[in-house]
């Protein structure tokens, strides 16, 4: 006896073919919009009506696999330090773009070998990649170019000829941050930036940040010190204390990322430094997180969601076009003045000017 509690099986193409009075192969051609075979319009209409009557839903992923496409894009976000955090806005931006185009979205965080990278394409695990943690000279870029596989960068290389990417100009932003503090009158300015090992590996953003720091030291009338710290709250905390030891009269601070800025706020509190009265801070942070900090951070919007979204959209255009032209996007940077910057106190302990 049939199990009365069992759910009925979903209709198949065989069921549609039986109701329409045609072969299952003909149904497959019609429902996949395959125009390589001539099928009378009357037959096509009868098949679509049968599918509607049966409430048949095509298995999209199976169709894509048969066509040689997976309908999937993948973000490579290598993260070899489990003590740190991945910035989720990159992922949600890319995932949103993929969903809008009816694509699946995958994330890989483990380091990847050359063979594993190629196998993502050859094994039909993905149609295209978004690369993060990009280096000035990135072996992944060279390998994918050599094999003519579709990919987009969040970041940029030293030589971007023929590449598609979405990036922000870290070098200009960090120099502008130093310049802003110097214009307010700060002379002793510290800098907390990405881990040194990232720079030693050639990661583009950390290299650009140190270039900006060195430029500020050359061109601005300031005393400055830098610490390349672990990407963690504890790393920020310890780095700030070391800067205070080197620059005991430090009144300004630049940070190249604000995901772990809580370490600075805590260290300032532990040393009886009020923000911005005793310490002005400029940094790069997502607009939402910058506004949630107390006091709200003066700085630049990192645009993480936008970078993820735009990179995925470029990749999808690349996958869907027969004549794709590389797209290179530098998102605009604008200094947003909030509550963490003001003029330094005078020697008499009085505020020189109103907050700016």
């Amino acid at each position: 006896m049939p199990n009365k509690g069992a759910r009925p099986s979903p209709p198949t193409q065989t069921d549609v073919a039986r109701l329409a009075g045609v072969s299952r192969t003909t149904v497959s051609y019609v429902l996949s919009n395959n125009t390589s075979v001539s099928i009378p319009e009357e037959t096509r209409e009868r098949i679509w009506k049968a599918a509607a009557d049966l409430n048949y839903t095509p298995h999209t992923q199976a169709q894509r696999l048969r066509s040689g496409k997976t309908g999937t894009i993948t973000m490579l976000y290598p993260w070899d330090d489990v003590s740190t955090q991945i910035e989720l806005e990159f992922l949600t931006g890319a995932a949103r773009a993929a969903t809008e185009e009816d694509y699946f979205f995958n994330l890989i965080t483990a380091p990847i070998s050359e063979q594993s990278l190629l196998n993502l394409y050859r094994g039909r695990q993905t149609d295209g990649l978004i690369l993060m943690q990009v280096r000035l000279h990135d072996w992944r870029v060279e390998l994918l170019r050599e094999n003519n596989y579709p990919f987009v960068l969040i970041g940029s290389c030293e030589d971007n000829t023929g590449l598609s990417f979405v990036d922000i100009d870290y070098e200009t932003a960090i120099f502008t941050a130093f310049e802003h503090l110097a214009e307010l009158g700060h002379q002793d300015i510290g800098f907390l930036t990405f881990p040194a090992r990232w720079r030693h590996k050639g990661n583009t953003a950390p290299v650009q940040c140190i270039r900006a720091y060195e430029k500020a030291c050359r061109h601005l009338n300031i005393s400055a010190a830098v610490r390349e710290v672990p990407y963690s709250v504890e790393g920020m905390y310890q780095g700030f204390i070391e800067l205070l030891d080197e620059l005991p009269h430090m009144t300004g601070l630049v940070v190249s990322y604000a995901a772990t800025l809580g370490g600075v706020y805590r260290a300032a509190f532990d040393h009886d430094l009020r923000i911005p009265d005793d310490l002005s801070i400029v940094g790069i942070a997502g607009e939402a997180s910058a506004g949630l900090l107390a006091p709200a951070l003066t700085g630049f919007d990192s645009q993480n969601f936008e970078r993820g979204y735009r990179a995925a959209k470029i990749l999808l255009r690349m996958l869907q076009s027969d004549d794709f032209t590389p797209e290179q996007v530098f998102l605009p940077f604008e200094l947003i003045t909030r509550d963490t910057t003001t003029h330094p106190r005078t020697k008499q302990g009085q505020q020189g000017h109103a907050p700016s």
Side-chain angles (χ1 to χ4, degrees):
M1 292 180 62
N3 185 353
K4 294 183 178 180
R7 293 182 178 180
S9 300
T12 65
Q13 288 191 1
T14 300
D15 297 324
V16 175
R18 187 179 299 115
L19 182 60
V22 297
S23 69
R24 193 201 66 78
T25 301
T26 302
V27 168
S28 177
Y29 279 125
V30 171
L31 296 184
S32 63
N33 292 312
N34 190 325
T35 58
S36 62
V37 177
S38 179
I39 299 174
E41 187 62 30
E42 178 186 350
T43 302
R44 290 181 179 274
E45 291 178 0
R46 193 165 70 250
I47 290 171
W48 281 113
K49 183 178 185 305
D53 290 344
L54 292 172
N55 197 26
Y56 170 77
T57 302
H59 193 306
T60 304
Q61 184 68 351
Q63 289 181 349
R64 285 167 167 167
L65 288 173
R66 285 195 294 272
S67 71
K69 301 293 184 181
T70 68
T72 300
I73 61 173
T74 300
M75 177 179 285
L76 293 188
Y77 196 164
W79 209 257
D80 56 3
D81 187 344
V82 296
S83 68
T84 61
Q85 58 181 324
I86 284 181
E87 295 180 89
L88 296 179
E89 289 175 326
F90 286 114
L91 314 184
T92 54
R96 169 75 64 81
T99 300
E100 290 176 354
E101 301 287 339
D102 197 28
Y103 270 70
F104 298 99
F105 175 73
N106 283 340
L107 171 67
I108 297 177
T109 59
I112 195 167
S113 67
E114 291 189 11
Q115 191 59 53
S116 296
L117 180 59
L118 295 176
N119 286 344
L120 290 175
Y121 293 91
R122 294 171 179 172
R124 294 186 181 181
Q125 299 176 53
T126 194
D127 293 335
L129 293 175
I130 301 171
L131 304 186
M132 292 198 59
Q133 298 288 65
V134 176
R135 301 178 181 180
L136 292 173
H137 305 281
D138 199 309
W139 66 266
R140 300 171 301 174
V141 170
E142 298 308 318
L143 184 65
L144 295 176
R145 273 205 283 208
E146 288 173 5
N147 287 272
N148 200 31
Y149 287 134
F151 68 96
V152 173
L153 311 178
I154 296 181
S156 53
C157 298
E158 194 82 85
D159 178 9
N160 296 300
T161 304
L163 298 180
S164 292
F165 65 80
V166 179
D167 202 3
I168 56 178
D169 189 347
Y170 278 95
E171 189 166 345
T172 296
I174 294 301
F175 180 80
T176 302
F178 274 99
E179 196 172 42
H180 179 66
L181 290 173
E183 289 173 352
L184 288 173
H186 295 277
Q187 294 182 325
D188 294 274
I189 304 173
F191 180 39
L192 294 174
T193 188
F194 298 103
R197 60 188 177 83
W198 292 7
R199 178 171 57 86
H200 294 154
K201 290 178 178 179
N203 288 30
T204 305
V207 171
Q208 290 180 339
C209 288
I210 291 298
R211 287 176 179 172
Y213 166 76
E214 293 171 346
K215 180 181 177 181
C217 291
R218 291 194 305 268
H219 296 286
L220 303 177
N221 184 28
I222 60 173
S223 297
V226 60
R227 290 295 182 276
E228 297 170 289
V229 298
Y231 200 86
S232 64
V233 172
E234 293 75 16
M236 278 277 193
Y237 184 96
Q238 184 59 40
F240 181 80
I241 292 174
E242 292 177 7
L243 286 177
L244 276 180
D245 289 339
E246 185 171 345
L247 291 174
H249 302 294
M250 180 174 65
T251 60
L253 179 69
V254 175
V255 291
S256 60
Y257 59 91
T260 58
L261 193 59
V264 169
Y265 278 52
R266 194 179 76 199
F269 177 83
D270 289 349
H271 287 76
D272 296 321
L273 297 174
R274 290 178 297 176
I275 303 170
D277 294 340
D278 302 311
L279 179 71
S280 288
I281 305 175
V282 182
I284 300 176
E287 185 174 4
S289 58
L292 290 174
L293 289 167
L297 180 69
T298 291
F300 302 87
D301 183 2
S302 60
Q303 303 179 87
N304 292 348
F305 180 93
E306 183 70 9
R307 282 191 277 170
Y309 182 86
R310 294 279 291 272
K313 282 292 189 180
I314 291 173
L315 178 60
L316 292 167
R317 285 194 290 273
M318 184 185 299
L319 294 173
Q320 296 165 6
S321 173
D322 294 328
D323 187 23
F324 179 79
T325 301
E327 299 182 32
Q328 300 184 348
V329 179
F330 274 105
L331 296 178
F333 250 166
E334 180 181 353
L335 181 68
I336 304 169
T337 302
R338 297 190 181 91
D339 303 327
T340 58
T341 48
T342 188
H343 297 268
R345 290 178 178 273
T346 65
K347 293 182 179 179
Q348 288 74 30
Q350 302 297 316
Q351 191 74 16
H353 301 272
S356 173

